[in-house]
Amino acid sequence: MSKGEWISLSDWRVLKLAETASTNTDAKELADQIAGEFAVWAIKQNAGRGREDRQWQSNPKSSLTFSLLFRPNPDELKHLSRFTALGALSLVDLLKDEYQIKAQIKWPNDVLIDGKKISGILLEAVWSGSEQEALVLGIGINLKNSAFANENELRFPASSLETAGVVVEDLPKLLEKLMEKINMRRKFLGSQKFIDDWIASLAFKGEFLPIKQYQGKTEMLCPESINVDGSLNARDQAGNLRIIQSAEFSAPL
Ligand code: BTN
């Protein structure tokens, strides 16, 4: 991690770094050195991490890469699985309110525009012994198509805000606006409305697509709704309702 400067954005203390390996790793490392909640934002991230130990490729000026360190309050501790959607729903809010763009969420938390991924989110727990001390919510947003690898090498089709007609000139402003949406959404984390809004933004409802359950087989399932614990209700091709705790959807065939 390069030596950074602390700035303030939307009630968040933000460590702004010129370059780092992964803002999620930094936030986890800093969790027991810095009191309270904070964010780490890197202009250049050279070893970004994705779900399932994958790499997250990003390029400076083409990507926004940052992580928020949350210290959930007692009420939020009852809804930890919802933090995974907090970033995604807040980005959907931002795109709708600021740019009139309808984005959707590929369960659990990839943000799509026109069926292509423009943002990936990685939620990680910080442990102190057997106690969960904090949560790190890492968000990567493709601002331009140059943010990601050759499309043929990707597991799911990708796109960017630029392709959707959004040219971001003021990166701190974008980050600040997204943080404002996160602060707002967080107030309703435990509500049924939070789940209803997640369902309303769910991508591929009514469509069968391949889903790979972790350490399991790939099969065709159709997403229907989301339960209060964040699990997905999906229909299999025999018409049975299945409850999915953890899995990854591929692009429709
Ligand atoms: C995924 O789609 O698999 C999740 C990608 C998450 C990437 C972000 S970029 C900021 C933060 N730092 C990381 O190392 N990863 C997350």
Side-chain angles (χ1 to χ4, degrees), residues 21-25 40 45 47-52 54-56 58 64-67 109-110 117 119-124 136-141 248:
S22 156
T23 55
N24 261 42
T25 306
V40 181
Q45 194 180 235
R49 297 185 290 105
R51 294 173 70 207
E52 287 201 84
R54 287 195 296 264
Q55 291 182 345
W56 175 262
S58 56
L64 175 61
T65 49
F66 70 102
S67 302
N109 57 10
D110 287 340
K117 178 165 167 173
S119 171
I121 295 175
L122 178 66
L123 183 74
E124 296 183 293
V136 173
L137 185 70
I139 303 182
I141 302 174
E248 184 145 45

Side-chain angles (χ1 to χ4, degrees), residues 98-109:
E98 287 288 320
Y99 307 107
Q100 294 75 51
I101 291 174
K102 182 177 186 290
Q104 287 187 303
I105 300 174
K106 178 165 77 74
W107 183 87
N109 57 10

Side-chain angles (χ1 to χ4, degrees), residues 6 46 50 62 73-74 77 79 86 88 106 109 111 120 216 220 235 243:
W6 285 95
N46 49 41
S62 306
N73 65 36
L77 284 173
H79 303 290
L86 179 62
K106 178 165 77 74
N109 57 10
V111 179
M220 298 295 286
R235 193 73 59 180
I243 298 175

